[in-house]
């Protein structure tokens, strides 16, 4: 077999980077994945002393059926696993699960909800068990509902999804997250995700993960990021991410941002794909309901994507192809930055972004003990604060973004009734989000009187503080406060800000 060379013209590559691939580009990616699967299967066959049953079945099958089986995402996952672990005595891939076909306005999504493949855990999340009839009906309902929204309001996104998505693997939910999902570079067109709340949650998750799948295919053809590269800040994860991880996040959230941008311009959607009522009541100065959430998510993620793109372009880790790709992405999202969003919604979205950055710093950056001790000595001797280091400490495992403040902000944007929460920290969060910074700061300081290592209180205080040091390097103020427990927090923050 002569290896094929897959190429994309510059304008097609730029459109791909902007998240607007055409049918021909997606066709090229699919053919490249089919070629990859064939090469993997050839290597497995070469490693076996005799013809295995799965190989005989493929060669005896109708060409169209054989192509379908070989191109299946789980075949790629299976083949890569076999090559890593050994091919003796292996049975071949047998796609299983429940085939669903959803059609709206002449556009059909054909997808398999796979609750049977023994290797589906290789997508990176713990799979759910065999679906009950009620559970399968919920997936069908959400797909029907979500597909109508996509086709009627986001036709281009629906066409991309129909061209790429082939398999959904239901997984066990994470109690600390509103929903979890994942893809694998070895399974183009497969998405693992927990059961969605509704059609909108489903399609947002599928758009996000399909972008990852597309980018995995692109990265197998073109090196986008050079070797090495230190992990750093990612607006969508609580753990540090390498440059390729940040690029993946930016590309996935570009699609999410585009979805919410359109929803906001169209006034939000209900389950049928129809616009939200124009006369719906508003609450707390923000647009409420579906359109309010759309504006919040759009404002929140456009800033995150633009910031991540800028850091990648300035970071020196992108290849020439990666720079072209990310430049197209940055230009796409850059056009959205000045689009108007209701002021109160924009304020809450900005707080959500700041909240994540502050919590990320407090979680992942630490001041070495010697530097913290020197801060305490300088404070006690009334000297100018010394320069100290913030050192990245990488905790093991995947950490998804999870903040009660963001959930509360989304409730305020939606206009949901918000009961006065119990507990000082929760009350402080609500006061801060409602713009009462003084009340919030007092409550956060009281929390810190009991525990100067309370990351939630520190990030909350930083959100409402006028002191630049708390806003820019909260981990340094926390380190100083813990090393000098006799010092008042505001006085330390003012001293460090000077």
């Amino acid at each position: 077999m002569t290896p094929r060379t897959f190429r994309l013209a510059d304008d097609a590559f730029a459109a791909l980077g902007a998240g607007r691939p055409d049918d021909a580009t997606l066709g090229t990616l699919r053919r490249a994945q089919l070629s990859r699967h064939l090469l993997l299967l050839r290597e497995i066959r070469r490693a076996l002393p005799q013809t295995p049953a799965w190989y005989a079945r493929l060669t005896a099958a109708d060409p169209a059926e054989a192509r379908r089986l070989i191109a299946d995402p789980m075949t790629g996952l299976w083949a890569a696993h076999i090559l890593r672990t050994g091919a003796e005595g292996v049975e071949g891939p047998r796609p299983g699960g429940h085939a669903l076909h959803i059609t709206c306005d002449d556009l059909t999504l054909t997808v398999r909800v796979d609750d049977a493949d023994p290797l589906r855990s290789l997508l990176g999340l713990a799979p759910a068990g065999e679906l009950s009839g009620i559970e399968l009906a919920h997936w069908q309902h959400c797909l029907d509902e979500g597909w109508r929204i996509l086709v009627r309001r986001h036709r281009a996104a629906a066409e991309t999804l129909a061209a790429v998505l082939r398999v959904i693997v239901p997984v066990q939910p994470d109690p600390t997250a509103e929903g979890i999902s994942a893809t694998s570079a070895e399974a183009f067109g497969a998405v693992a995700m927990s059961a969605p709340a509704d059609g909108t949650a489903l399609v947002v998750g599928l758009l996000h993960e399909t972008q990852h799948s597309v980018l995995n295919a692109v990265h197998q053809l073109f090196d986008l990021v050079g070797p090495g590269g230190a992990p750093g800040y990612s607006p969508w994860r609580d753990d540090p991410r390498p440059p390729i991880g940040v690029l993946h996040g930016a590309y996935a959230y570009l699609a999410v941002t585009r979805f919410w941008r359109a929803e906001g311009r169209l006034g939000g959607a209900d389950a049928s794909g129809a616009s939200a009522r124009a006369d719906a009541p508003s609450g707390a100065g923000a647009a409420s309901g579906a359109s309010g959430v759309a504006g919040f998510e759009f404002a929140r993620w456009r800033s995150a994507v633009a910031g991540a793109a800028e850091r990648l372009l300035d970071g020196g880790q992108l290849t020439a192809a990666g720079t072209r790709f990310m430049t197209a992405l940055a230009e796409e999202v850059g056009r959205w930055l000045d689009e108007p969003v209701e002021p109160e919604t924009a304020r809450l979205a900005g707080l959500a972004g700041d909240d994540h950055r502050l919590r990320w710093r407090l979680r992942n950056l630490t001041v070495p003990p010697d530097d913290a001790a020197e801060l305490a000595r300088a404070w006690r001797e009334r000297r100018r604060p010394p320069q100290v280091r913030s050192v990245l400490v990488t905790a093991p495992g995947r950490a998804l973004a999870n903040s009660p403040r963001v959930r509360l902000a989304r409730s305020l944007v939606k206009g949901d009734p918000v009961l006065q929460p119990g507990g000082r920290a929760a009350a402080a969060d609500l006061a801060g989000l409602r713009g009462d910074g003084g009340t919030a700061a007092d409550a956060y300081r009281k929390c810190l009187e009991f525990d100067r290592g309370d990351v939630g209180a520190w990030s909350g205080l930083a959100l409402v503080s006028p002191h630049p040091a708390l806003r820019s390097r909260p981990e340094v103020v926390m380190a100083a406060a813990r090393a000098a427990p006799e010092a008042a927090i505001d006085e330390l923050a003012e001293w460090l800000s000077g």
Side-chain angles (χ1 to χ4, degrees):
M1 181 186 297
T2 302
R4 295 186 60 184
T5 300
F6 294 92
R7 295 184 174 90
L8 289 175
D10 182 73
D11 58 347
F13 190 72
L16 185 59
R20 293 182 280 100
D22 58 20
D23 290 342
T25 298
L26 293 174
T28 298
L29 296 182
R30 286 197 304 272
R31 289 192 298 275
Q33 288 298 304
L34 176 63
S35 179
R36 176 177 177 273
H37 288 193
L38 287 167
L39 291 171
L40 292 173
L41 293 173
R42 184 184 69 176
E43 291 305 305
I44 296 172
R45 173 65 188 91
R46 284 178 172 177
L48 295 172
Q50 56 188 2
T51 302
W54 59 263
Y55 188 85
R57 283 200 309 272
L58 285 176
T59 54
D62 173 84
E65 176 64 8
R67 182 186 180 95
R68 184 186 69 82
L69 290 172
I70 293 169
D72 191 275
M74 305 307 278
T75 298
L77 193 69
W78 170 86
H81 173 71
I82 293 303
L83 284 176
R84 281 195 305 268
T85 59
E88 281 295 333
V90 297
E91 180 54 47
R94 291 179 178 270
H98 312 272
L100 303 179
H101 307 274
I102 305 98
T103 299
C104 177
D105 295 349
D106 299 323
L107 185 58
T108 298
L109 174 67
T110 298
V111 65
R112 188 172 78 253
V113 179
D114 194 334
D115 60 351
D117 194 304
L119 296 183
R120 64 194 190 279
S121 63
L122 295 178
L123 287 169
L125 297 172
E130 183 179 350
L131 296 178
S132 68
I134 293 175
E135 290 169 330
L136 182 60
H138 177 72
W139 281 98
Q140 177 74 68
H141 171 74
C142 290
L143 278 166
D144 289 341
E145 181 180 282
W147 192 240
R148 286 195 298 269
I149 293 172
L150 268 191
V151 171
R152 294 173 179 172
R153 300 167 67 87
H154 312 268
R155 181 81 184 197
E159 290 170 349
T160 297
L161 205 66
V164 175
L165 181 67
R166 293 293 178 267
V167 174
I168 298 174
V169 172
V171 301
Q172 298 174 23
D174 183 338
T176 67
E178 296 176 7
I180 56 172
S181 57
T183 55
S184 167
E186 295 166 346
F188 176 77
V191 171
M193 66 186 305
S194 56
D198 53 31
T200 298
L202 175 62
V203 295
V204 170
L206 291 178
L207 289 175
H208 175 113
E209 294 300 340
T210 297
Q211 288 283 97
H212 283 306
S213 215
V214 169
L215 185 56
N216 282 326
V218 173
H219 200 222
Q220 288 171 358
L221 297 177
F222 308 95
D223 289 328
L224 303 177
V225 177
Y233 176 65
S234 169
W236 21 82
R237 290 275 290 267
D238 280 355
D239 53 335
R241 300 292 292 148
I244 186 60
V246 178
L247 195 159
H248 259 281
Y251 196 57
Y253 274 95
L254 179 71
V256 173
T257 307
R258 182 182 282 114
F259 175 88
W260 290 119
R261 173 178 180 260
E263 285 298 291
R265 291 160 71 92
L266 293 168
D270 61 21
S272 68
S275 296
R277 286 171 45 226
D279 60 346
S282 61
S288 66
S291 59
V293 171
F296 175 79
E297 299 294 350
F298 169 58
R300 179 185 177 198
W301 296 126
R302 68 178 175 181
S303 297
V305 172
E310 181 180 3
R311 288 189 295 274
L312 285 167
L313 288 168
D314 292 342
Q317 291 297 317
L318 299 178
T319 63
T323 298
R324 183 73 180 101
F325 191 89
M326 189 51 58
T327 297
L329 187 154
E331 290 174 351
E332 182 77 2
V333 74
R335 290 191 285 268
W336 304 340
L337 292 177
D338 294 329
E339 293 185 4
V341 173
E342 201 282 334
E344 178 65 6
T345 300
R347 183 186 72 84
L348 289 170
L351 284 174
D354 290 344
D355 175 63
H356 183 269
R357 177 183 56 82
L358 292 164
R359 286 186 300 103
W360 188 94
R361 291 190 68 93
L362 288 160
R363 181 185 190 273
N364 297 293
L365 297 175
T366 187
V367 175
D370 289 349
D371 285 14
E374 179 57 28
L375 280 173
R377 280 193 296 271
W379 165 258
R380 291 167 182 143
E381 296 168 5
R382 297 297 185 262
R383 293 189 278 113
R384 291 173 58 87
Q387 295 293 320
V388 296
R389 297 164 293 161
S390 292
V391 179
L392 185 68
V393 178
T394 304
R398 185 185 194 213
L400 301 174
N402 181 28
S403 169
R405 285 188 205 106
V406 173
R407 292 193 292 273
L408 184 55
R410 193 180 290 115
S411 294
L412 291 173
V413 166
K414 289 170 67 177
D416 290 345
V418 178
L419 299 177
Q420 186 65 33
R424 184 176 287 120
D429 290 344
L430 183 57
L433 290 172
R434 284 178 167 166
D436 187 354
T439 298
D442 288 343
Y444 289 130
R445 281 192 291 265
K446 285 184 170 62
C447 291
L448 293 171
E449 288 176 5
F450 293 97
D451 179 9
R452 289 203 167 189
D454 186 339
V455 168
W458 278 112
S459 58
L461 181 61
L463 277 175
V464 298
S465 173
H467 301 301
L470 256 177
R471 299 282 294 181
S472 61
R473 297 183 73 191
E475 72 282 0
V476 174
V477 184
M478 181 174 73
R482 300 183 75 178
E486 75 280 6
I489 288 173
D490 271 358
E491 293 177 5
L492 272 177
E494 184 176 2
W495 173 66
L496 289 165
S497 297

